[in-house]
Amino acid sequence: MADNKIKKVVLAYSGGLDTSIIIPWLKENYDDCEVIAVSGNVGQGTELDGLEEKAIATGASKLYIEDLNKEFVEEYVFPTIKAGAVYEGKYLLGTSFARPVIAKRIVEIAKAEGADAICHGCTGKGNDQVRFELAIKAYAPDMKIIAPWRTWEFKSREEEIAYAEAKNIPLKINRETNYSKDKNLWHLSHEGLDLENPANEPMYNKEGFLEMGVSPEQAPDKPEYVTISFEKGIPVKLNGEALDGVTMIEKLNEIGGRNGVGITDIVENRLVGMKARGVYETPGGTVLYAAHSKLEEICLDKDTLHYKKNLANTFADLVYDGKWYTPLREAMSAFVDSTQEYVTGDVKLKLYKGNIIDAGVTSPYSLYDEEIATFDEDEVYDQNDSAGFINLFGLPIKVRAKKGLIK
């Protein structure tokens, strides 16, 4: 397998099972090539602890840990929230929009280091291989990509664990709790083990399963209120306190998590053609989506709101499929930004045992006119006007009926 032209490889490194064994595997199969590990910090928290020592101990020449949190939130998360993009009505794209920002930075480091190839640990069954590689192609179209899962001898995570044990590579997992997980500032995903059978109820109350919050049953018996303030579709204040985007999400993760909010069980259609079951924790993100949607109810006119909801599905597909760096996604974001010009105001929500309940919304640009909408007496709406409107609106139906064309 050795490619003598490959002397230096930059590896997308998380320190999890796959990338932990990839370092020695690369050196064994590519003539003791230099391996430079890169970890993009998008909010993994303690998962980054001890990563440099581990990477070097297993054969890497160095480890870059790049703080991408601000860029991740402002350039990927917020545009997706503003678009209202949700994949298949449930998935808030936590892994999907984290990959492009990580891959972009890996390419930058690979170029600076003069690397011959970029390596990732994504499986041949997953979506992430596409997301990583499309981003790499966007910024380094001629860079060689190594994807060990497509070529190596391991056929299961069991065999990977055995290899790691043989190489004395420390792992934070074992055979009994070997869920496949992906964590960042926005979410935590769980796949594998008992979750592979959709008939099995997730063990939400099992110790150690949920990490970002609690199940609705374990949430407090008293509701908690939050008020989120938006400016042009971007959340800027929480309960009156001005916060940057990263801190906003961190605090909402805490609040939403302790109230059992944002747990999703979904069988999704993967890009590679199969259905896959996963459980996602997205407490803060779920609150932000709910608040943003509520504010749009009073700030957007009917045609724009309805058209934008249709666009949101396509936007979600693009993000899920790894097509962030494409003309269509960029054009859609330009349209979305235009719609957000007057999406400014405050949204109050009540969080209670996994539920998000609307508790009030205000905006200086609200299109809701209480005097027009009231059932009480008013001086601005002539109800007699509706008769002529209905006659014209229903004229095509009337014509078809008179021709005997209504079945």
Side-chain angles (χ1 to χ4, degrees):
M1 182 186 295
D3 185 340
N4 293 328
K5 295 181 181 179
I6 295 178
K7 304 296 183 183
K8 184 183 292 188
V9 179
V10 169
L11 169 66
Y13 183 74
S14 68
L17 175 59
D18 294 330
T19 57
S20 292
I21 67 172
I22 281 176
I23 294 175
W25 183 88
L26 282 171
K27 298 181 77 67
E28 287 177 0
N29 288 274
Y30 288 89
D31 198 23
D32 198 33
C33 64
E34 180 183 359
V35 179
I36 298 171
V38 179
S39 293
N41 178 6
V42 285
Q44 299 93 313
T46 58
E47 290 184 8
L48 298 171
D49 295 347
L51 219 53
E52 182 175 14
E53 179 183 356
K54 180 179 179 180
I56 293 175
T58 50
S61 63
K62 67 176 76 170
L63 170 69
Y64 289 87
I65 297 181
E66 301 293 292
D67 187 352
L68 304 174
N69 281 286
K70 185 175 186 293
E71 182 181 357
F72 174 46
V73 170
E74 294 180 358
E75 298 185 23
Y76 299 82
V77 175
F78 283 170
T80 306
I81 294 175
K82 288 191 292 183
V86 181
Y87 185 68
E88 297 189 337
K90 297 178 76 174
Y91 174 42
L92 299 186
L93 300 164
T95 301
S96 307
F97 54 26
R99 296 310 186 223
V101 66
I102 295 172
K104 181 182 177 184
R105 184 62 184 132
I106 288 171
V107 169
E108 292 169 351
I109 291 172
K111 288 181 175 180
E113 287 282 354
D116 304 303
I118 291 174
C119 179
H120 64 74
C122 306
T123 75
K125 289 185 176 182
N127 302 302
D128 281 344
Q129 58 181 334
V130 181
R131 296 163 183 156
F132 267 116
E133 293 187 28
L134 291 189
I136 293 169
K137 290 179 187 300
Y139 289 97
D142 297 322
M143 180 70 69
K144 182 174 178 59
I145 299 172
I146 300 173
W149 259 106
R150 299 175 193 158
T151 59
W152 66 11
E153 62 273 26
F154 311 120
K155 304 302 180 186
S156 68
R157 290 172 69 81
E158 285 284 327
E159 292 183 9
E160 288 185 275
I161 293 174
Y163 179 84
E165 291 172 346
K167 296 291 183 180
N168 296 314
I169 298 172
L171 300 173
K172 294 181 180 180
I173 62 174
N174 57 52
R175 285 177 169 82
E176 288 70 40
T177 61
N178 185 22
Y179 287 106
S180 176
K181 297 189 178 187
D182 178 76
K183 184 178 183 180
N184 59 41
L185 176 68
W186 185 250
H187 91 153
L188 173 64
S189 64
H190 310 257
E191 295 178 322
L193 296 181
D194 56 296
L195 297 178
E196 290 190 345
N197 185 347
N200 293 333
E201 180 182 1
M203 295 181 287
Y204 296 129
N205 294 324
K206 181 180 179 181
E207 184 177 355
F209 182 73
L210 295 177
E211 297 181 26
M212 297 183 73
V214 300
S215 69
E217 297 95 325
Q218 294 175 320
D221 294 329
K222 182 179 179 181
E224 182 171 359
Y225 287 86
V226 293
T227 298
I228 302 171
S229 303
F230 290 82
E231 292 182 4
K232 296 186 177 183
I234 294 175
V236 294
K237 291 182 181 180
L238 176 59
N239 296 329
E241 180 184 3
L243 299 174
D244 63 86
V246 174
T247 306
M248 171 77 69
I249 294 171
E250 288 174 340
K251 287 186 176 293
L252 283 173
N253 278 339
E254 295 175 8
I255 296 170
R258 65 176 173 248
N259 286 285
V261 166
I263 302 169
T264 300
D265 180 357
I266 179 174
V267 177
E268 69 195 58
N269 288 294
R270 281 186 176 171
L271 174 59
V272 293
M274 71 184 70
K275 289 186 181 288
R277 196 270 189 98
V279 170
Y280 298 98
E281 297 180 64
T282 322
T286 303
V287 175
L288 283 176
Y289 262 82
H292 180 261
S293 177
K294 187 64 182 177
L295 184 58
E296 285 192 325
E297 286 183 12
I298 66 170
C299 292
L300 296 186
D301 64 278
K302 174 185 173 181
D303 287 345
T304 301
L305 181 64
H306 288 194
Y307 187 83
K308 184 172 177 290
K309 286 183 181 297
N310 291 331
L311 175 143
N313 289 326
T314 302
F315 196 104
D317 286 345
L318 290 175
V319 178
Y320 188 86
D321 293 348
K323 294 183 176 180
W324 187 270
Y325 304 116
T326 60
L328 180 56
R329 199 283 308 163
E330 292 171 359
M332 284 187 168
S333 285
F335 166 79
V336 168
D337 285 344
S338 175
T339 69
Q340 301 299 290
E341 181 69 21
Y342 300 108
V343 182
T344 295
D346 299 331
V347 181
K348 187 176 183 181
L349 300 172
K350 179 165 65 174
L351 311 182
Y352 181 64
K353 289 189 174 296
N355 295 289
I356 300 177
I357 303 165
D358 296 334
V361 57
T362 61
S363 170
Y365 305 111
S366 174
L367 300 179
Y368 179 85
D369 189 316
E370 187 173 354
E371 188 173 5
I372 292 177
T374 183
F375 283 97
D376 294 329
E377 183 179 355
D378 68 83
E379 298 180 356
V380 297
Y381 188 95
D382 187 344
Q383 298 196 30
N384 291 322
D385 291 343
S386 62
F389 164 74
I390 295 171
N391 285 335
L392 293 177
F393 191 65
L395 184 58
I397 296 175
K398 183 176 179 179
V399 171
R400 283 175 56 83
K402 294 181 73 172
K403 296 288 185 180
L405 300 178
I406 303 294
K407 295 181 180 180

